[in-house]
Amino acid sequence: MLVAAAVCPPTPLVLLEMPDLRSACRTAIAALREARPDALIVVGGADATGAYAGGAAGTLRPWGLDLTAGTGEPVLPLSLTVARLLMGEPAPDGFRSVAFDAAAGECRELGEQLAGAGERVALLVMADGSACLGPRAPGRYDETAGPYNDGIAKAIAAGDASALAALDPGQADRLWVSGRAALQVLAGAAGTRAFDGRLLMAAAPYGVGYFAGLWAG
């Protein structure tokens, strides 16, 4: 059963810049540990859905940064590598990637599966919002991106799983919301349970929506 969840951005920038956002993420991660879960699992978007052991390694060397965490050959995709570096020690109990283009139903089923991993499960969800929020954004500016991104922020703040479950994959793809699938895994894990949500911080310094949030059951 899901008892706590945190949302943090999967960008290396949170490790190098944006100290306020990094601090908010670490506050959220500390709260997950304080919930004393039987299993703490990290979920993040990637090119393909997969599972990795908690001790798995990830590196940012392909992105020009000499930062590595974990043991063995680096295998974690970017979103999970950023999470591993944010978390420090101890390592989580496991990592799950979800394909960026995974259908909403597939995300829901994965979330339900993860919530059933123990009596007390906590999720660290690495997900960002739209990358079409301004002229400096990676994607082309879209006037509908702001309201869509605000909707995600409100859902995180309210602990509203139904709003995350209702995110439209087609619209998310058009607005470069790469975190859509991971957020819908969170929605599947939460199910119909009520959570107290807190949006610790929201920012879009480079035209990409970044969030730090916490859900407590």
Side-chain angles (χ1 to χ4, degrees):
M1 180 177 69
L2 185 71
V3 296
V7 177
C8 293
T11 173
L13 294 175
V14 75
L15 300 166
L16 304 173
E17 305 177 21
M18 301 181 286
D20 291 344
L21 183 59
R22 181 168 61 253
S23 177
C25 289
R26 287 181 168 151
T27 294
I29 291 168
L32 292 186
R33 298 193 192 279
E34 289 167 5
R36 306 181 74 84
D38 301 320
L40 173 53
I41 302 169
V42 182
V43 178
D47 291 334
T49 298
Y52 306 86
T59 184
L60 295 182
R61 288 178 186 145
W63 290 271
L65 301 171
D66 191 18
L67 294 173
T68 299
T71 57
E73 185 70 19
V75 295
L76 297 176
L78 177 62
S79 64
L80 302 182
T81 297
V82 172
R84 185 68 183 86
L85 289 163
L86 271 175
M87 295 182 79
E89 298 296 339
D93 295 290
F95 295 93
R96 293 298 297 264
S97 64
V98 58
F100 294 122
D101 61 355
E106 180 184 345
C107 297
R108 181 186 67 251
E109 291 174 4
L110 176 56
E112 291 171 350
Q113 175 188 342
L114 295 179
E119 291 186 9
R120 297 181 59 81
V121 175
L123 294 183
L124 171 56
V125 180
M126 304 301 291
D128 51 18
S130 175
C132 298
L133 293 172
R136 300 176 63 192
R140 184 176 180 179
Y141 172 71
D142 191 310
E143 64 181 8
T144 66
Y148 193 96
N149 198 73
D150 290 345
I152 295 173
K154 289 177 182 177
I156 294 171
D160 189 348
S162 62
L164 297 180
L167 293 174
D168 178 75
Q171 188 177 15
D173 184 61
R174 181 173 64 81
L175 297 176
W176 288 39
V177 183
S178 64
R180 186 274 309 171
L183 291 169
Q184 291 192 314
V185 172
L186 170 57
T192 58
R193 291 196 67 217
F195 288 85
D196 293 326
R198 292 175 57 201
L199 184 64
L200 303 178
M201 188 171 178
Y206 300 102
V208 182
Y210 299 136
F211 315 105
L214 176 65
W215 287 11

